[in-house]
Amino acid sequence: RKEVEQDPGPFNVPEGATVAFNCTYSNSASQSFFWYRQDCRKEPKLLMSVYSSGNEDGRFTAQLNRASQYISLLIRDSKLSDSATYLCVVIHTGGFKTIFGAGTRLFVKA
Amino acid sequence: SQTIHQWPATLVQPVGSPLSLECTVEGTSNPNLYWYRQAAGRGLQLLFYSVGIGQISSEVPQNLSASRPQDRQFILSSKKLLLSDSGFYLCAWHPTVSGNTIYFGEGSWLTVV
C-alpha cells in the first residue's frame, strides 16, 4: 500500500464547476500537509498548506482530518487555468521525509 | 529571498555515458536537499536526500549517486546511463525548521538514447 494515496483521476469538468480531490495517508507520524500544483512539463509548485482547522485561499479550500488521516482540496468556480495535476504532500515529523501522492489530473473545459 | 537553480534544463545522452546534474540554493543555510525523479506520466520518486555536507541518504538502489560538496550545492551523477534513467529530475530544498514545505528547482529533462 502506498503511503499517500490520491484519487486516480483524471477529472474532466466544465468551467464554473466545483471539484473535490481526496487524499489519504497511512503514517501517523505525518506532521505537515500540503497541496501542490504541477503544470505539464514543469516543476511542482506549492498551492497551499493544509491545517486541521481548514483553510481557504480564494476559490480553494483545504481540509485535514487527522483522525481519519484524510486530506481534501475543493476548487470552486473552476477556470480553464486550473487545468493541471494536483499533488497531495505529507512531511513526516522531523521534516526529513517528504512523501508525494501520485497526483490527480484535472481538465477544465470551456 | 531563497532561490534554487538546477542545470542543465534539458539533455540528451547516449546509453553508457556519464551524467552530472547540479543544483544550488541561495539565500539560506543548512537546508535539507533532495533529488527526485518523475518518469513520464508518473509520480515523484525520491532518489536522495541530504541533511548536511557530505551526508547523503539513498532511497532506492540504482546506478545514480549524489554528492553534497558544499552546504548549498547538490550534485546528481551517474558513471553509465541506462535507458531507464530517462525522466524529469527535480532538485528541491526544505528548511530545517520543521513544518515548512519543500521548494523545487526548474527541473532537468533527461533523455537517454
Side-chain angles (χ1 to χ4, degrees):
Chain A
R1 182 188 172 193
K2 293 180 181 177
E3 192 166 340
V4 176
E5 300 214 47
Q6 295 186 238
D7 288 345
F11 284 52
N12 293 284
V13 302
E15 273 188 294
T18 295
V19 59
F21 300 140
N22 302 315
C23 172
T24 58
Y25 62 96
S26 59
N27 192 329
S28 58
S30 302
Q31 183 181 47
S32 304
F33 308 88
F34 306 89
W35 283 101
Y36 277 68
R37 170 192 170 127
Q38 185 174 22
D39 292 298
C40 190
R41 298 182 66 85
K42 297 288 187 181
E43 75 275 22
K45 293 184 178 178
L46 177 64
L47 179 65
M48 59 195 305
S49 303
V50 188
Y51 305 115
S52 298
S53 56
N55 49 300
E56 191 173 305
D57 182 2
R59 298 182 292 108
F60 298 83
T61 300
Q63 292 275 357
L64 165 65
N65 185 321
R66 285 189 183 271
S68 302
Q69 297 185 185
Y70 171 94
I71 305 160
S72 66
L73 176 68
L74 185 75
I75 305 176
R76 293 181 299 279
D77 189 24
S78 299
K79 311 292 185 189
L80 293 175
S81 57
D82 292 334
S83 297
T85 298
Y86 291 83
L87 304 169
C88 172
V89 179
V90 169
I91 298 181
H92 288 176
T93 302
F96 294 150
K97 251 186 131 176
T98 301
I99 310 297
F100 286 82
T104 302
R105 190 77 173 89
L106 171 66
F107 295 96
V108 181
K109 299 183 178 180
Chain B
S1 64
Q2 301 89 358
T3 57
I4 178 170
H5 298 288
Q6 66 176 99
W7 64 94
T10 59
L11 62 166
V12 179
Q13 296 283 103
V15 169
S17 65
L19 171 73
S20 181
L21 300 178
E22 191 164 339
C23 171
T24 59
V25 181
E26 299 294 333
T28 187
S29 59
N30 195 32
N32 294 334
L33 295 173
Y34 305 82
W35 279 110
Y36 285 87
R37 176 171 60 201
Q38 188 174 39
R42 301 187 66 180
L44 286 160
Q45 179 187 34
L46 178 62
L47 301 175
F48 300 95
Y49 71 92
S50 171
V51 299
I53 295 174
Q55 300 178 64
I56 309 294
S57 295
S58 175
E59 288 295 300
V60 293
Q62 59 206 313
N63 69 321
L64 299 171
S65 62
S67 61
R68 185 169 177 174
Q70 300 180 46
D71 181 45
R72 293 171 293 167
Q73 183 184 27
F74 205 23
I75 298 171
L76 183 69
S77 304
S78 174
K79 292 182 179 178
K80 290 185 178 182
L81 285 168
L82 306 172
L83 286 174
S84 58
D85 291 325
S86 294
F88 189 37
Y89 288 82
L90 289 154
C91 181
W93 77 278
H94 178 285
T96 50
V97 175
S98 180
N100 284 298
T101 190
I102 191 168
Y103 301 94
F104 288 92
E106 304 92 336
S108 299
W109 283 96
L110 169 65
T111 303
V112 182
V113 296

